[in-house]
């Protein structure tokens, strides 16, 4: 695909005016930019090339794809190139009305919908002669509305995960431009595991060796076996169970044990106990396995109970973290990132989603803490900070607020926001100075006190390295005050960090 059509529009004013009206692809509006600052979640570049009269904007992405964002917070890919996008826009001047259509609707429905929309447009202005002239000048072939709707639908389906648009200030993701055309997250995550599972069922020893030796492939294959169970799987489940024990206790180890146990073969009890006794963690995590002299029905009953409680056969019942974790492990970083951003957006827009039970006023804020951790593991500190700030705002006790602020300050420092980090530490010290309960009474004698002093010294050092001596001295002084309240051993543990921060600040004087 090329951008020949875009070059032609830029060279020929008459063609540009035709594109602007009646096809609402206005090059002159590019200079205005979008109605709000935006960026791609993936961090890829965006170039504004045109706009429309409703405040929408056409962006070109790094691979040439055209991303359209409206002024209401929705966005989606509408073409693999500017040429393809213009082919669709000029061929379907009422394209906004067709976002819910797909080839599955069939030619009759598509043609009827397009005919109705275009008749309404003709009541307001001409489109037929203008379309014929512009498409001929741009070199577009004759296409039926059915083909063009298929092209539009295919483009929209490529939006996630690589072209999700974010508000550059708040971090919220734009809604899909069209009704959700994405497959469930678990489908791409399980794709490799399902292929390996099929290979294992052929008896291919090479596939078994490769899966068993690769921790990620092994975990994904076990998850595929969770949702596609067969009587003949026991032969390869046994070696996968034994090899998974090398990773110590994991959800997939417990899953493998359950999948083996569901067959009710008492000959597997020695293997299950061998796996359980791998180390301390596995002895705790698999402590409920029936004794070696148990019968087959007892073994099956144990496996069914654990299966019903923790696993099951419907991937929709699995927590999001299962799929985002496996996506990240397989290098599907953008899939994981977008799913986590969508989840954070849901919570940010509706904090009642955190209620411990319907009608309860108590919130379980642990999902926000997990989101911050997961974003950090993906290297997305911007979204990690966003999740952590919301987590901080929902903490009830002084102790929880101090701990949460400490993590917030660290993430802000590491993401290059030292001013925000300094503010977080200042708010933290205010809580320390006037706690409203006894949740902080032992902070000086615990690791929390050490961590507080360390973060002050690290931030002072970062501020010094950024050439901001006054702020660095203020944070250093606050850290020294905290250090003075610690035990001798704790104060000694942070002495080198304090000295290093002080030395760096001294060099700026």
């Amino acid at each position: 695909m090329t951008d020949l059509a875009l070059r032609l529009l830029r060279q020929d004013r008459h063609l540009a005016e035709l594109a602007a009206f009646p096809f609402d692809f206005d090059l002159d509006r590019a200079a205005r930019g979008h109605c709000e600052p935006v960026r791609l979640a993936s961090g890829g570049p965006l170039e504004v090339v045109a706009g429309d009269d409703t405040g929408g904007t056409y962006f070109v992405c790094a691979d040439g794809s055209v991303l359209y964002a409206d002024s209401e917070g929705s966005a989606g890919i509408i073409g693999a190139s500017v040429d393809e996008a213009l082919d669709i826009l000029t061929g379907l001047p009422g394209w906004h009305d067709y976002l819910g259509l797909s080839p599955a609707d069939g030619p009759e429905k598509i043609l009827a919908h397009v005919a109705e929309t275009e008749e309404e447009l003709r009541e307001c202005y001409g489109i037929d002669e203008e379309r014929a002239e512009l498409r001929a000048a741009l070199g577009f072939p004759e296409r039926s509305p059915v083909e063009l709707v298929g092209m539009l639908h295919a483009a929209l389906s490529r939006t996630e995960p690589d072209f999700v648009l974010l508000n550059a200030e708040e971090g919220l993701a734009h809604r899909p431009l069209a009704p959700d055309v994405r497959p469930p997250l678990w489908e791409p995550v399980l794709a490799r595991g399902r292929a390996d599972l099929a290979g294992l069922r052929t008896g291919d020893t090479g596939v078994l060796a490769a899966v068993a030796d690769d921790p990620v492939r092994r975990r994904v294959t076990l998850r595929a076996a969770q949702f596609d169970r067969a009587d003949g799987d026991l032969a390869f489940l046994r070696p996968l169970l034994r090899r998974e024990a090398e990773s110590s206790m994991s959800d997939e180890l417990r899953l493998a044990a359950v999948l083996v146990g569901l067959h009710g073969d008492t000959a597997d009890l020695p293997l299950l106990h061998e796996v359980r006794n791998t180390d301390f963690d596995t002895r705790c995590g698999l402590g409920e396995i029936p004794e070696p002299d148990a019968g087959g029905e007892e073994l099956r009953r144990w496996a069914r109970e654990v299966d019903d409680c923790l696993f099951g056969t419907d991937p929709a019942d699995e927590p999001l973290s299962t799929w985002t974790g496996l996506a990240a492990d397989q290098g599907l970083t953008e899939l994981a990132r977008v799913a986590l951003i969508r989840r954070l957006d849901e919570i940010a827009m509706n904090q009642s989603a955190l209620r411990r039970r319907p009608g309860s006023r108590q919130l379980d804020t642990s999902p926000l803490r997990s989101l911050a951790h997961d974003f950090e593991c993906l290297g997305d500190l911007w979204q990690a900070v966003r999740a952590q700030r919301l987590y901080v705002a929902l903490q009830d006790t002084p102790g929880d607020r101090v701990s949460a602020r400490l993590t917030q300050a660290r993430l802000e420092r590491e993401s290059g926001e030292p001013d925000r980090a300094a503010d977080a530490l200042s708010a933290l010290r205010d809580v320390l100075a006037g706690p409203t309960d006894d949740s902080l009474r032992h902070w000086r004698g615990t690791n929390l006190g050490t961590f507080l002093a360390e973060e002050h010294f690290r931030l002072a050092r970062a501020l010094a390295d950024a050439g901001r001596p006054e702020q660095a001295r203020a944070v250093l002084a606050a850290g020294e005050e905290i250090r003075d309240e610690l035990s001798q051993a704790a104060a000694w543990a942070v002495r080198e960090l304090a000295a290093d921060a002080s030395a760096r600040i001294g060099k700026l004087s």
Side-chain angles (χ1 to χ4, degrees):
M1 305 301 292
T2 71
D3 63 353
L4 174 62
L6 181 61
R7 293 201 301 272
L8 290 174
L9 294 184
R10 287 171 171 170
Q11 293 167 4
D12 189 316
R13 186 62 189 173
H14 174 64
L15 295 181
E17 289 173 350
L18 272 180
F21 183 81
F23 302 103
D24 218 8
F25 185 88
D26 191 343
L27 299 181
D28 292 341
R29 293 180 183 269
R32 305 180 188 179
H34 194 48
C35 58
E36 63 181 8
V38 293
R39 51 165 284 191
L40 287 178
S42 64
L46 288 172
E47 177 192 0
V48 177
V49 293
D52 65 21
D53 62 7
T54 66
T57 306
Y58 298 94
F59 300 91
V60 174
C61 305
D63 70 341
S65 295
V66 175
L67 179 72
Y68 174 79
D70 65 23
S71 59
E72 302 300 320
S74 298
I77 293 294
I78 61 168
S81 68
V82 178
D83 279 13
E84 183 176 288
L86 283 167
D87 195 351
I88 294 168
L89 300 185
T90 56
L92 298 172
W95 68 274
H96 289 277
D97 291 337
Y98 314 140
L99 293 172
L101 291 176
S102 77
D105 291 311
E108 183 177 352
K109 180 178 179 179
I110 292 173
L111 291 172
H113 195 160
V114 171
E116 179 182 359
T117 300
E118 294 197 352
E119 191 58 37
E120 293 175 357
L121 293 177
R122 290 186 185 98
E123 294 176 0
C124 300
Y125 47 80
I127 60 172
D128 297 308
E129 293 181 3
E130 292 82 356
R131 175 163 51 191
E133 179 183 356
L134 183 57
R135 288 182 65 81
L138 298 181
F140 294 151
E142 289 292 326
R143 297 191 195 273
S144 73
V146 174
E147 181 182 2
L148 290 166
V149 166
M151 293 166 60
L152 177 60
H153 182 269
L156 290 166
S157 69
R158 294 178 49 245
T159 302
E160 294 199 9
D162 294 317
F163 304 104
V164 171
L165 196 65
L166 305 180
N167 178 292
E169 295 175 346
E170 298 175 357
L172 288 163
H174 282 53
R175 297 180 301 275
L177 187 62
D180 201 346
V181 294
R182 301 167 299 165
L185 178 58
W186 59 79
E187 286 193 9
V189 172
L190 285 179
R192 179 62 182 271
R194 286 172 170 167
D196 282 337
L197 182 61
L200 289 171
R201 286 173 174 167
T202 68
D204 189 327
T205 57
V207 173
L208 177 57
V211 173
D213 289 343
D214 187 323
V216 175
R217 287 180 67 179
R218 187 171 65 236
R219 291 174 58 211
V220 178
T221 302
L222 286 169
R223 287 294 179 175
Q226 174 185 349
F227 306 111
D228 179 12
R229 305 178 183 190
D231 291 339
D233 290 351
L234 194 54
F236 60 78
L237 286 173
R238 287 164 173 156
L240 293 184
L241 168 63
R242 179 175 276 110
R243 290 301 302 274
E244 184 60 24
E246 296 175 5
S247 299
S248 190
M249 194 62 229
S250 67
D251 289 339
E252 285 72 29
L253 178 62
R254 184 179 283 107
L255 171 61
V258 165
L259 293 176
V260 169
L262 285 171
H263 290 269
D265 189 340
T266 56
D268 289 318
L269 282 167
L271 170 61
L272 290 168
H273 280 270
E274 175 189 337
V275 168
R276 184 181 71 177
N277 292 325
T278 300
D279 56 32
F280 176 78
D281 290 337
T282 55
R283 283 194 293 275
C284 294
L286 298 173
E288 72 280 12
I289 289 176
E291 294 301 315
D293 59 352
E297 185 53 37
E298 184 179 353
L299 176 58
R300 273 190 294 268
R301 183 168 58 252
W302 163 78
R304 282 195 298 267
E305 289 176 353
V306 178
D307 190 26
D308 291 343
C309 180
L310 299 178
F311 300 110
T313 59
D314 187 349
D317 292 336
E318 284 292 322
L320 177 65
S321 58
T322 297
W323 305 122
T324 55
L326 290 173
D329 288 344
Q330 295 180 81
L332 304 174
T333 304
E334 293 311 313
L335 268 178
R337 188 201 313 275
V338 169
L340 293 171
I341 291 173
R342 296 287 188 201
R343 176 57 178 152
L344 178 55
D345 288 354
E346 290 174 5
I347 295 173
M349 300 301 291
N350 180 20
Q351 293 172 19
S352 64
L354 297 174
R355 286 177 178 168
R356 295 185 182 275
R357 58 184 180 277
S360 171
R361 299 183 64 180
Q362 289 187 321
L363 301 182
D364 176 12
T365 58
S366 61
L368 287 169
R369 183 175 56 197
S370 297
L371 284 169
H373 173 267
D374 291 344
F375 280 123
E376 185 177 5
C377 289
L378 290 178
D380 193 338
L381 292 179
W382 188 47
Q383 292 289 350
V385 167
R386 180 179 162 222
Q388 188 65 24
R389 286 173 182 162
L390 182 54
Y391 177 71
V392 168
L394 297 176
Q395 298 312 299
D396 294 326
T397 70
D400 289 340
R401 286 198 295 274
V402 165
S403 180
R405 285 281 190 194
L406 179 61
T407 301
Q408 176 189 341
R410 176 183 63 79
L411 290 171
E412 288 170 337
R413 171 177 57 80
E414 292 177 351
S415 64
E417 295 186 85
D419 290 335
R420 299 293 293 268
D423 290 342
L425 291 183
S426 177
L428 179 157
R429 294 194 300 274
D430 289 342
V431 177
L432 283 179
T436 55
D437 63 23
D438 62 356
S439 59
L440 284 169
R441 62 181 177 179
H442 299 303
W443 72 267
R444 298 169 184 81
T446 64
N447 286 336
L448 177 59
T450 303
F451 296 152
L452 291 172
E454 285 178 343
E455 185 55 37
H456 277 78
F457 296 141
R458 287 195 173 95
L459 179 57
R461 186 169 61 184
L463 288 165
D465 291 344
R468 299 161 76 173
E470 292 185 8
Q471 287 178 287
R473 290 190 191 96
V475 172
L476 177 65
E480 290 289 6
E481 289 181 8
I482 290 174
R483 184 183 177 210
D484 289 342
E485 296 195 51
L486 303 180
S487 68
Q488 183 177 0
W492 180 259
V494 298
R495 72 192 187 285
E496 292 184 1
L497 190 58
D500 184 43
S502 180
R504 296 193 192 195
I505 295 171
K507 292 179 180 179
L508 299 177
S509 301

